């Protein structure tokens, strides 16, 4: 790809960051060039984020119906799976699985709740009420 042909399509990440691409200059030598984005890549990222938002909405519904604890909502919102949350909290995965139930969540001690809250970067009250205060 020639240096002049490096895509500059604005996307969701275009306001936040730019990507380094390799292109050839007029002499045919490889050089680095900054790209604001690429339309195909932007579409793929948008589709991925839409899927994530749908998963978060389904998790919120499950918690609202009493089928899961607020941990499920925050795991989906923070893009965490069971091994990741286990690494952040120090809890074994089988314990987290138990805490994902409403009954297991209700039995959590204040110290356990604070470990989860810290992992999700929220207060204990926000953890219990599924409240987000994002910048």
């Amino acid at each position: 790809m020639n240096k002049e042909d490096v895509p500059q399509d604005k996307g969701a990440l275009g306001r936040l960051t730019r990507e380094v691409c390799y292109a050839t200059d007029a002499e045919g030598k490889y050089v680095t060039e900054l790209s604001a984005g690429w339309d195909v890549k932007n579409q793929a990222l948008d589709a991925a984020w839409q899927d994530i938002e749908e998963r978060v909405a389904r998790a919120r519904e499950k918690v609202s119906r009493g089928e899961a604890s607020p941990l499920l909502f925050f795991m989906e919102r923070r893009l965490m799976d069971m091994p990741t949350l286990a690494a952040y909290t120090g809890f074994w995965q089988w314990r987290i699985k138990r805490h994902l139930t409403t009954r297991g969540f209700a039995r959590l001690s204040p110290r356990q709740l604070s470990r989860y809250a810290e992992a999700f970067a929220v207060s204990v009250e926000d953890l219990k009420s599924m409240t987000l205060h994002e910048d």
Side-chain angles (χ1 to χ4, degrees):
M1 173 181 339
N2 290 327
K3 188 174 178 178
E4 300 81 28
D5 297 332
V6 173
Q8 299 295 334
D9 302 325
K10 296 286 183 191
L13 297 179
R15 296 182 308 269
L16 303 172
T17 186
R18 293 178 64 179
E19 184 175 7
V20 175
C21 296
Y22 291 96
T24 54
D25 62 10
E27 299 172 7
K29 295 182 181 179
Y30 282 99
V31 295
T32 58
E33 183 70 20
L34 291 177
S35 172
W38 183 36
D39 205 28
V40 174
K41 186 175 182 179
N42 292 338
Q43 290 172 4
L45 284 172
D46 290 344
W49 280 113
Q50 183 177 4
D51 181 52
I52 291 166
E53 291 301 324
E54 289 171 5
R55 290 178 61 167
V56 170
R58 283 195 303 269
R60 183 183 288 275
E61 289 173 13
K62 285 181 87 169
V63 174
S64 296
R65 290 192 306 260
E67 297 172 5
S69 77
L71 295 181
L72 178 65
F73 168 77
F74 281 101
M75 284 177 68
E76 292 293 349
R77 187 72 180 123
R78 299 292 190 222
L79 306 177
M80 290 185 176
D81 59 4
M82 197 91 58
T84 304
L85 186 56
Y88 272 85
T89 60
F91 294 130
W92 289 331
Q93 291 182 42
W94 65 268
R95 292 186 74 194
I96 294 172
K97 188 173 182 178
R98 186 172 21 157
H99 298 160
L100 284 169
T101 65
T102 53
R103 185 175 179 193
F105 187 78
R107 294 180 175 183
L108 289 174
S109 70
R111 180 168 181 213
Q112 291 170 314
L113 284 169
S114 67
R115 285 168 68 181
Y116 279 121
E118 184 178 335
F120 296 128
V122 297
S123 69
V124 172
E125 294 77 26
D126 290 344
L127 177 66
K128 291 179 179 180
S129 65
M130 290 191 318
T131 304
L132 289 172
H133 301 284
E134 296 188 331
D135 302 330

